[in-house]
């Protein structure tokens, strides 16, 4: 069965600094990996996904993520954080042949000015 | 397009009461999903549907039933609500199982 781990409950970063939100995964087949963001009292919004191809995936709002097969990781990154990036971030994985998306527990990102 | 909508936005139930949560999507998506979100546990899949007239169990289906009589609607029912079902419920839809899921705004349910 697939699983996702987000090892940090919260990440704090100063505005303008680079940010990284970590995600590791476990699947039996080829992974389909996603990042979603949730703002307070809102639904989840899609940021980016990796299905196949280039290991560096670019997404919405200047975010990108790097797929590392050997380390089974899919960390979310942004070169310069904004206060408006403060939100709850979820990593999710689907086994290549499966119907179901499994979510991590989420990481709170706080960007301070 | 409204995308994915959910009704109601908030509801308080007493233990033992029943209710139905409605999810509607206007994107002509085949797949629809119901999740619950609890603090520190991420989202967990309750039930899902791969097309009109079909439903399947997810990770935490006990105490819930679903129906997909129309392609655009996916209903989640609680026949006898329990305090453990206090949660935020999200509906999502996707074009196919490999495609991006799009989420509704959520329904906050409090069971007393």
């Amino acid at each position: 069965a697939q699983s996702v781990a987000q090892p940090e409950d919260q990440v704090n970063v100063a505005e303008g600094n680079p940010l990284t939100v970590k995600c590791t995964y476990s699947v039996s087949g080829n992974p389909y990996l996603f990042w979603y963001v949730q703002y307070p009292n809102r639904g989840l919004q899609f940021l980016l996904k990796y299905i196949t191809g280039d290991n560096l995936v670019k997404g919405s709002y200047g975010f990108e993520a790097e797929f590392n097969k050997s380390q089974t990781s899919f960390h979310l990154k942004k070169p310069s954080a904004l206060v408006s990036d403060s939100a709850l971030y979820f990593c999710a994985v689907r086994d290549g042949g499966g119907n179901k998306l499994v979510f991590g527990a989420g990481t709170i990102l706080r960007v301070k000015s | 397009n409204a995308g994915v909508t959910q009704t109601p936005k908030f509801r308080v139930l007493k233990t033992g009461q029943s209710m139905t949560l409605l999810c509607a999507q206007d994107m002509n998506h085949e797949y629809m999903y119901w999740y619950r979100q609890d603090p520190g546990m991420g989202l967990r899949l309750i039930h899902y549907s791969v097309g009109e007239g079909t439903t399947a169990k997810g990770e935490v289906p006990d105490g819930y039933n679903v129906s997909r009589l129309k392609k655009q609607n996916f209903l989640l029912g609680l026949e006898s609500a329990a305090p453990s079902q206090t949660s935020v419920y999200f509906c999502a839809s996707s074009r196919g199982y490999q495609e991006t899921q799009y989420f509704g705004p959520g329904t906050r349910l409090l069971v007393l």
Side-chain angles (χ1 to χ4, degrees), chain A residues 22 40 78 88:
Chain A
K22 295 180 180 178
K78 188 173 182 180
L88 179 59

Side-chain angles (χ1 to χ4, degrees), chain B residues 69-91:
Chain B
L69 299 179
K70 294 182 179 180
K71 185 177 183 178
Q72 64 268 34
N73 296 337
F74 195 30
L75 305 179
L76 178 70
L78 286 74
E79 290 186 349
S80 179
S84 61
Q85 294 178 305
T86 292
S87 187
V88 181
Y89 292 85
F90 287 101
C91 176

Side-chain angles (χ1 to χ4, degrees), chain A residues 2 11 29 31 38 40 45 54 57 60 79 83-85 89-90 94 96 100 102-103 109:
Chain A
Q2 62 261 46
V11 170
Q38 184 181 30
Q45 296 179 28
D54 195 348
V57 179
S60 306
V83 172
S84 58
D85 292 331
Y89 290 79
F90 289 101
R94 172 184 286 119
K100 303 172 190 176
V102 174
F103 286 82
L109 174 65

Side-chain angles (χ1 to χ4, degrees), chain A residues 1-2 25-32 67 69 72 93-98:
Chain A
Q2 62 261 46
Y25 66 90
S26 174
V27 295
S28 57
N30 292 324
Y32 290 67
F67 170 64
K69 188 174 183 178
T72 61
V93 66
R94 172 184 286 119
D95 187 297

Side-chain angles (χ1 to χ4, degrees), chain A:
Chain A
Q2 62 261 46
S3 65
V4 177
Q6 294 182 243
E8 300 155 318
D9 292 336
Q10 183 166 317
V11 170
N12 298 310
V13 64
E15 188 175 32
N17 283 1
L19 70 88
T20 298
V21 182
K22 295 180 180 178
C23 172
T24 59
Y25 66 90
S26 174
V27 295
S28 57
N30 292 324
Y32 290 67
L33 294 153
F34 300 79
W35 276 102
Y36 285 84
V37 60
Q38 184 181 30
Y39 298 99
N41 301 312
R42 303 285 293 276
L44 276 70
Q45 296 179 28
F46 169 74
L47 277 180
L48 51 82
K49 68 180 177 183
Y50 171 83
I51 304 296
T52 187
D54 195 348
N55 288 345
L56 184 64
V57 179
K58 294 188 182 297
S60 306
Y61 313 121
F63 284 94
E64 59 189 26
E66 187 169 10
F67 170 64
N68 188 318
K69 188 174 183 178
S70 63
Q71 296 186 4
T72 61
S73 66
F74 190 55
H75 301 331
L76 181 70
K77 300 181 180 183
K78 188 173 182 180
S80 178
L82 300 172
V83 172
S84 58
D85 292 331
S86 299
L88 179 59
Y89 290 79
F90 289 101
C91 181
V93 66
R94 172 184 286 119
D95 187 297
N99 284 330
K100 303 172 190 176
L101 198 58
V102 174
F103 286 82
T107 298
I108 297 170
L109 174 65
R110 293 200 193 280
V111 181
K112 296 185 178 180
S113 58

